[in-house]
Amino acid sequence: MAVLGTRTHRRRLALTWERRGGESRKGICGGHAHTLCGAGARARVVSSSRCRARFRLRLPAVGTTRRCSSGVTRLASLAGLVTGARDGEGHIGLIEGPAGIGKTRLLAEGRRCAEEEGFQVLAARGSELEREFPFGVVRQLFEPVLIDPEAHANLLSGAAAPAEPVFAPPRDTAGPSEGGDASFAALHGLYWLSVNLTAQRPLLLAIDDLHWCDRPSLRFVAYLLRRLEGLPALALVTLRPAEPGADAALLAEIAADPLTTSVAPRRLSLPAARELVRGRLGPDAEDLFCPACHRTTGGNPLLLHELLKAVRAEGARPDAANVSVVKELGPRAAGRAVLLRLARLSPEAGAVARAVAVLGDGATMSEVGALADLPLERAAGATRALSQAEIIRPDPPLGFVHPLVREAVYRDLPPGELEVAHPRAARLLIEAGASSRRVAAHLLLAPPEGRPEVVETLRAAADEALKAGGAESAGTYLRRALDEPPTADRSAEVELELGLAEAMASAPAAAERLRDAYEAQTDPRARGLAGAALTQALTLTRPPDEAVAVARRAAAELPPELGDLRLALEAQDSSRPTSALTPRASTPASSGSAPSPAATARPRRCSPRRPPGTGRSAAGRPTSASRSRSRRSPAGRSCARIPVSSRWWPTAR
């Protein structure tokens, strides 16, 4: 860590020297001429001989949010970001635009450029089906470099250690999550994991479809962004604006940051579209036919490619007589063209395509074959046919060539078939030993059926999500569990777990839900835990007296054998303001009379067994030593901080 700190310190000293050096200087560094270019308050080092030779132009300055229009400028901007990151100027490159505009292709060019510069490239892709997997995108990024046990131990040591639970197998994650603190610790540990990786060589994090990224991973991107300056690291992400269900606030925060460079691919011009048409359909494509293709697709590269595939499949000549064929396909060229190509394949290929659309990217061939009711060999043969038709990717993992292609196949499924497909997919995944969270992704899309095993699977997925710091995802799973609904003896437990998850996510309805759960509990320990959690929630949303009243009532109801939980409630009680616990003196201070004993007496300590050395500061707040001690009882369980994992409830063990 000392070496890393020294390297960062040297970089920042160099940047300070560059800022003082004016807008442009020439210098010699390592035998190469460099230009020091100022951009407002920022500066960066550009290897002019290498970058200008590649793009034959002066690269734009990096460091402010802006848009790049021309194709050459977009590529040059990505190369400039890579060069700046190599020299210690960390940034995020935000490639944004509508579906099919070429974001993924630009991302691939950025990855290629970074690999040529010696970067370590880690890649991930957001998925609409996996949006509720906490840290799913983060795991895609970092797991490949953590496979080796020695690398795992080195990279997740020191300040990066709090990120360890993020990568632990779901069934092996030990200990309950502690809500917001655990989530912050994980984010900070992931940041230091990134720092440790930059000690080896510059780092590129490439994330496709950021709009489908799970919220914990998106929070990590925002967290890392504010700490990139001075690191040889770059994040390149693609974003589809105004995507339904995306976290607009976090995405806007990332897009508006000064370290974000926005690269906006443009639609194809008519000359470019004409060149593409003649390249795919032949040089004799007539002038009236090419503009018709351009108008129909709006210059969208993917839609134009799909339209040309459909025209070629129809056997239509690219002349004026077939302009009506282009218009007939209409603006939904991608969906129409994909379904047309799929209809020309065998029924087995169609069944496999629909199975992959339901299961999502990354499904195994055995899972796809089972859902499609096909033997493994025939499913593999159908996959080859789909790959040749440019519907399925030819390389693993199994998935569609583009999200628009998957959407076209998925949306073509009748609603009744979808209601059957997702529950069936969930059962197949359970039999295959898949994680609870992967099974729950399908249960969220399945209609309620009142099955107890569905409730337990969703509760297990919520438990895993909480341990990974994904309180929002846990709340989603538990709300779906309540819709199932649970049996009468489990309903109060699920309600309480949902209230705890919502409290961790700062949901407005947490206090009222916890109040209902507290009143519904019959088990003494579960009722005491619910009362303690309700007290914490009321502290943030209600007057102090209301929280104190709940804490006192819950403590009074506990049996003698639950002394550790009573201490937790008394600790919350004693943390209320003095006015809430001790009556004020009846005689005003201005009267000049001596204060009553009740006014001068110190409030009674609720925990008589506080160890020596604990106490409060002059401001009335617990000292750091007392805070660390008060979190654990002699039995080793949390006192002032209430555990939230469902494994703590005695009836769920």
Side-chain angles (χ1 to χ4, degrees):
M1 293 303 172
V3 174
L4 292 174
T6 303
R7 289 180 58 193
T8 302
H9 183 63
R10 287 201 301 266
R11 287 192 201 100
R12 290 179 177 172
L13 286 178
L15 289 172
T16 303
W17 179 85
E18 292 165 20
R19 294 187 186 105
R20 294 174 181 172
E23 295 184 355
S24 179
R25 290 190 179 187
K26 293 285 184 179
I28 303 297
C29 180
H32 297 282
H34 286 70
T35 302
L36 304 181
C37 306
R42 303 189 182 278
R44 66 184 179 86
V45 182
V46 179
S47 178
S48 56
S49 60
R50 297 174 69 179
C51 292
R52 288 185 190 171
R54 181 179 298 172
F55 296 103
R56 303 301 181 191
L57 50 84
R58 185 183 181 88
L59 294 178
V62 179
T64 55
T65 302
R66 65 198 185 283
R67 292 184 178 271
C68 306
S69 56
S70 73
V72 175
T73 304
R74 291 192 295 272
L75 292 174
S77 180
L78 292 179
L81 288 172
V82 170
T83 304
R86 183 199 62 199
D87 297 323
E89 279 268 330
H91 286 84
I92 281 189
L94 181 64
I95 306 171
E96 54 182 333
I101 201 66
K103 302 183 297 296
T104 301
R105 178 62 182 273
L106 267 180
L107 181 64
E109 288 298 316
R111 291 177 58 179
R112 180 190 59 79
C113 181
E115 288 170 351
E116 291 179 355
E117 295 289 341
F119 277 63
Q120 181 173 17
V121 178
L122 305 180
R125 181 180 181 185
S127 170
E128 189 174 14
L129 186 63
E130 301 178 1
R131 190 181 286 178
E132 296 300 333
F133 286 15
F135 291 112
V137 167
V138 164
R139 293 181 67 126
Q140 286 186 56
L141 285 173
F142 294 108
E143 279 182 338
V145 299
L146 298 176
I147 294 177
D148 181 68
E150 184 178 354
H152 187 284
N154 292 334
L155 292 172
L156 289 176
S157 61
E164 175 74 35
V166 173
F167 304 101
R171 293 182 177 86
D172 295 340
T173 306
S177 170
E178 293 194 2
D181 288 349
S183 180
F184 174 82
L187 295 177
H188 196 62
L190 290 169
Y191 159 70
W192 277 105
L193 171 59
S194 305
V195 173
N196 291 345
L197 285 168
T198 62
Q200 303 170 359
R201 49 180 170 151
L203 176 67
L204 171 66
L205 303 179
I207 304 175
D208 201 6
D209 293 330
L210 188 69
H211 46 277
W212 285 336
C213 183
D214 60 278
R215 181 174 171 81
S217 296
L218 197 59
R219 288 172 60 196
F220 164 67
V221 174
Y223 187 89
L224 178 65
L225 173 58
R226 294 188 291 270
R227 294 158 178 82
L228 273 177
E229 191 171 8
L231 284 178
L234 171 65
L236 289 180
V237 301
T238 66
L239 172 65
R240 189 186 303 177
E243 179 69 14
D247 194 318
L250 265 178
L251 291 173
E253 178 183 338
I254 293 171
D257 194 276
L259 289 180
T260 298
T261 296
S262 180
V263 181
R266 295 179 62 182
R267 298 180 182 274
L268 294 175
S269 64
L270 178 57
R274 182 182 293 112
E275 182 180 352
L276 182 60
V277 171
R278 289 175 175 167
R280 295 297 298 268
L281 301 182
D284 58 342
E286 297 183 1
D287 289 340
L288 291 178
F289 184 86
C290 295
C293 294
H294 182 260
R295 285 193 304 270
T296 299
T297 60
N300 185 292
L302 177 68
L303 298 185
L304 182 56
H305 274 286
E306 295 299 329
L307 175 64
L308 297 180
K309 292 175 188 176
V311 170
R312 190 168 55 184
E314 290 286 338
R317 288 182 53 81
D319 52 26
N322 286 314
V323 168
S324 58
V325 175
V326 173
K327 294 181 179 179
E328 184 180 348
L329 290 173
R332 299 177 62 88
R336 292 172 183 265
V338 168
L339 296 178
L340 179 62
R341 296 204 308 277
L342 190 58
R344 295 178 183 276
L345 300 177
S346 66
E348 293 180 348
V352 167
R354 290 187 289 272
V356 175
V358 170
L359 289 168
D361 289 355
T364 65
M365 186 58 66
S366 60
E367 294 167 353
V368 171
L371 188 59
D373 289 324
L374 291 173
L376 188 60
E377 296 80 7
R378 292 166 62 185
T383 302
R384 284 193 295 272
L386 289 168
S387 175
Q388 293 170 358
E390 299 183 57
I391 295 175
I392 295 292
R393 289 195 301 264
D395 302 319
L398 192 61
F400 290 93
V401 295
H402 193 277
L404 280 181
V405 178
R406 186 251 177 191
E407 183 180 358
V409 177
Y410 186 81
R411 299 303 177 195
D412 191 54
L413 289 168
E417 188 172 341
L418 282 176
E419 289 186 3
V420 175
H422 282 293
R424 186 159 174 250
R427 289 192 292 271
L428 290 173
L429 291 175
I430 291 175
E431 293 173 1
S435 67
S436 298
R437 282 180 284 175
R438 191 176 172 208
V439 175
H442 294 279
L443 295 177
L444 292 176
L445 300 172
E449 298 178 351
R451 294 164 52 202
E453 62 270 21
V454 169
V455 175
E456 294 307 312
T457 299
L458 290 165
R459 292 179 70 191
D463 193 34
E464 294 175 10
L466 284 173
K467 290 176 179 178
E472 297 90 352
S473 299
T476 301
Y477 295 140
L478 292 169
R479 279 187 287 271
R480 172 62 181 84
L482 285 177
D483 292 338
E484 187 63 15
T487 57
D489 60 326
R490 295 294 194 195
S491 180
E493 296 177 23
V494 178
E495 189 82 25
L496 176 55
E497 291 167 9
L498 177 56
L500 292 166
E502 288 181 341
M504 292 168 58
S506 301
E512 291 306 317
R513 191 181 296 277
L514 283 170
R515 189 188 300 276
D516 294 340
Y518 169 65
E519 298 295 343
Q521 294 298 323
T522 57
D523 179 82
R525 179 168 178 80
R527 185 173 175 84
L529 288 168
L534 175 59
T535 301
Q536 291 180 348
L538 291 175
T539 300
L540 303 175
T541 58
R542 298 287 193 276
D545 294 343
E546 189 173 348
V548 170
V550 171
R552 289 176 174 173
R553 176 188 171 191
E557 294 173 345
L558 289 174
E561 61 269 19
L562 296 178
D564 59 339
L565 187 52
R566 180 180 291 105
L567 288 177
L569 289 161
E570 290 176 350
Q572 293 187 26
D573 188 345
S574 63
S575 65
R576 301 297 96 224
T578 303
S579 60
L581 298 173
T582 306
R584 294 181 180 274
S586 59
T587 306
S590 58
S591 63
S593 58
S596 66
T600 58
R602 297 179 65 184
R604 179 179 64 87
R605 301 282 187 185
C606 294
S607 179
R609 289 180 280 182
R610 179 177 289 123
T614 60
R616 294 180 177 268
S617 64
R621 296 174 180 171
T623 62
S624 58
S626 66
R627 281 196 300 268
S628 62
R629 291 188 181 99
S630 67
R631 291 186 180 182
R632 296 205 172 270
S633 67
R637 288 185 174 177
S638 175
C639 283
R641 190 173 302 279
I642 303 302
V644 297
S645 171
S646 62
R647 299 290 182 262
W648 286 75
W649 309 124
T651 56
R653 288 177 180 171

